[in-house]
Amino acid sequence: KQEVTQIPAALSVPEGENLVLNCSFTDSAIYNLQWFRQDPGKGLTSLLLIQSSQREQTSGRLNASLDKSSGRSTLYIAASQPGDSATYLCAPYGNNRLAFGKGNQVVVIP
Amino acid sequence: SAVISQKPSRDICQRGTSLTIQCQVDSQVTMMFWYRQQPGQSLTLIATANQGSEATYESGFVIDKFPISRPNLTFSTLTVSNMSPEDSSIYLCSAAETRLGGYTFGSGTRLTVV
């Protein structure tokens, strides 16, 4: 069974600082990995999708890297803003399903 | 990517009653799924909703408690039956057009059972 760990579980940063969110997974036999954002009590918004053949994917201030062989992915958020406050979830896809960790809970302080 | 409309967004229900959650996708999708997120926990897959046939349930989830319908390629419902306070969670539907194309999620249903 795929186990997903996200570190740190929670962090608070001042506005403008860069964010680094780490995700590790135990089974490297994945097809792709998605990063999602979840606001409190809400659904998930897809941020980035990285295929297993890719090393990284970028969208605006967001950049995600994937090292499939070592079972790691990192989400970088540049120049954080208060609107970035949310929980970020990484979800590797393999064995016909997405696996989720508990997320990185981020608070950006104005 | 597909856009999913999920309703209701939240509800407070009496124990012993049932609630049906609906998800409408704006395009035909191959796969639809239902997840549960208990307070402070990660998402757990309840079942895969199969178009025109019975859903495929994960270990620990049964059809009598969580009946699912999927009459076509754009619509699915999940019913939470005979509810107890332990069913208080966020329920989310998800869809994927292809296995490798990434998943889209609905906005979630926040259920509180009193």
Side-chain angles (χ1 to χ4, degrees):
Chain A
K1 179 187 172 185
Q2 179 77 277
E3 300 288 341
V4 180
T5 303
Q6 292 188 241
I7 294 173
L11 72 162
S12 294
V13 299
E15 182 177 0
E17 195 164 294
N18 297 331
L19 288 164
V20 180
L21 308 178
N22 296 298
C23 169
S24 62
F25 46 95
T26 55
D27 185 353
S28 62
I30 64 169
Y31 292 98
N32 59 44
L33 183 145
Q34 262 180 290
W35 279 93
F36 294 93
R37 168 187 172 134
Q38 185 177 31
D39 292 297
K42 302 295 185 182
L44 276 61
T45 300
S46 181
L47 299 174
L48 290 166
L49 170 67
I50 312 175
Q51 300 295 340
S52 60
S53 58
Q54 297 176 310
R55 299 287 295 192
E56 65 178 321
Q57 193 69 248
T58 298
S59 176
R61 295 185 293 111
L62 306 180
N63 174 275
S65 66
L66 174 64
D67 185 342
K68 178 183 164 184
S69 60
S70 68
R72 296 180 187 276
S73 179
T74 301
L75 178 66
Y76 301 88
I77 303 177
S80 61
Q81 303 170 357
D84 295 328
S85 299
T87 297
Y88 293 84
L89 298 164
C90 86
Y93 177 78
N95 195 26
N96 293 319
R97 67 190 60 232
L98 283 177
F100 288 92
K102 292 187 177 181
N104 306 103
Q105 187 176 7
V106 173
V107 174
V108 180
I109 303 166
Chain B
S1 57
V3 175
I4 302 176
S5 298
Q6 182 174 343
K7 59 181 181 181
S9 58
R10 58 173 57 212
D11 208 340
I12 300 174
C13 299
Q14 298 291 323
R15 67 175 67 201
T17 63
S18 298
L19 175 72
T20 296
I21 303 167
Q22 299 182 0
C23 269
Q24 178 74 53
V25 189
D26 69 346
S27 61
Q28 292 187 344
V29 290
T30 306
M31 296 165 285
M32 292 186 74
F33 309 88
W34 288 96
Y35 288 83
R36 180 176 73 181
Q37 186 179 30
Q38 294 176 302
Q41 301 299 313
S42 61
L43 278 73
T44 301
L45 179 63
I46 297 172
T48 300
N50 300 309
Q51 191 264 329
S53 65
E54 192 171 289
T56 304
Y57 290 84
E58 297 297 303
S59 176
F61 297 96
V62 295
I63 187 171
D64 289 346
K65 177 66 176 177
F66 298 101
I68 288 170
S69 77
R70 190 177 174 195
N72 55 51
L73 292 176
T74 64
F75 186 78
S76 180
T77 67
L78 168 75
T79 299
V80 186
S81 302
N82 189 25
M83 289 184 285
S84 67
E86 292 70 34
D87 294 320
S88 297
S89 297
I90 298 172
Y91 292 85
L92 300 115
C93 69
S94 177
E97 296 173 34
T98 65
R99 288 193 181 279
L100 303 185
Y103 283 53
T104 302
F105 281 78
S107 54
T109 296
R110 189 167 197 167
L111 171 63
T112 302
V113 183
V114 297

